[in-house]
Amino acid sequence: MRKRRVLVLALLLGAGWVLGRTAPASAADRRVKQLAPKYQEWLADVAILLRKEEREAFLAIREDYQRDGFIQKFWESRDPYPETPRNEFKETWYARLEEVRRLYGNITEDRARMILLHGPASRTWRTDCQLALWPVEIWYYARSERLPAGFFLIFYQPQGGGPYHLWIPAEGTDVVVADRGREAQSGPTRSNGINASSRGAANIDGLTDFERILDRSCGDKIVLTAFRAVQRESELNSLNFTEYPPPPRDTEWLATFLGLSTDLPKGAGLPGDTAKLTAQLTVGFPEPRGNRTLVQVVLAVPRKAIAEAHVQGQAAYNLLVTGEVLKDEALEESFRYRFDLPVLPNPSNAGETVPLVFERVLRPGEYTLVVRLDDLDGKRSFREARPISVPKLARSAADPEAPAVAAALGAARQELAEEVGTLKLVPPPGETATGGVRIAAQVSGEAIRKVSFALDGKPLLTKAAPPYSVTFDLGTLPTPHTVRAVGFDAAGKEVGTDE
């Protein structure tokens, strides 16, 4: 009977979404067992949330720092209000996990899964209708984010022991009728359904045999009402949606994440690999940038190793650089640069290599720089991971401005600032900030009357009176963020900005 039920559910759900009932493939199981315990635990916590392609992508990741980045982006993609520092979806999910483990001791039983997907019911009933049915739980949702208003779910405990199962009308009512209750049924025919007209087994009073059992044995009319309601929702296909997990808000997050991966294709880089591209990586630190240092990276690629693309008679090199910066074995930032370079008309006079230059700005410290280069037309790749030590550079002592000129310019700047108004953000102390971080905007002059803050390009808060400060929740993993503050005058005109 259990096998038959799984088959019916698979047919109902179309794409095989029988969450928590279908065991993952053995190959996937082996990959899960090779993960660190914290990643195995995370996979178990989100098993019914993970879409097939998300799970496969996670299991294909090779480095722990990439797994940490995947988990962070996974939750961000499901944050209903990304403009706020809290992730309400993640908080609700883990609160429900804790609750169902307390109630049922697991997160795989049907009742546990329904709470995880839809939250607790507005009201519940428990009955066995004077032993006519196996133990039954009826859940009623007055309102839900993903279920219609006035929605019923029915769970039954086969043979009166073990876990409860979600009842699906396609299974028939035999699965919920106890053996003791069968003896009370009479007549040469008996319907397993609620809707008598659909099964051709109505008695003269318009009730099926099962409905008569409920009417006679169940003191509360809600039981019959619930079974009829579930039958109706099944006919409307509403029950199909109970098993589906909520989709991510950002449906493109996985493609974006995978696009920033520095992993080479399988087999690339092995001895004899024809897809391996050679390049020389050099790193320099030419100048300070505030309390940070400019990191300049040069990739010198042999010209003869790059394929030429020809578009409308114009030859060009099409190259893609993808990179990661790691600090303390955690992902600090990811980046990508596209180089579309014209081929010189006289290659004999050109250099032997094509230099690709890009820059990052980092705080002084120890990092690992991971760079992947792809020749998009030649289908060849290069990858290198290199430790780098970013120095703290002092500003040059050679000031091009004479002392008298510098003093005059300084006084003019100060006078202009007091008249117009200036705004400057004060970054948090230390090299890396996580968790709750308070950032203030220092405002001078009388012109600025309000300050608007944005995190990663998304407006967050506007302060109409000092102190002009805001608290951001930057999460538990070090990740690059951009904070921008804009000062406005009384007329709403932008006066000053800092980022």
Side-chain angles (χ1 to χ4, degrees), residues 140-158:
Y140 175 75
Y141 287 85
R143 58 183 302 179
S144 170
E145 294 179 358
R146 302 177 58 242
L147 294 176
F151 199 89
F152 282 93
L153 293 175
I154 299 175
F155 304 89
Y156 67 96
Q157 188 181 41

Side-chain angles (χ1 to χ4, degrees), residues 70 106 131 138 208 285 318 360 379 446 452-453 455:
F70 180 101
N106 65 79
L131 303 181
I138 298 171
T208 65
F285 312 98
N318 296 318
R360 309 301 296 175
K379 308 299 181 184
E446 299 296 328
S452 293
F453 293 89
L455 177 65

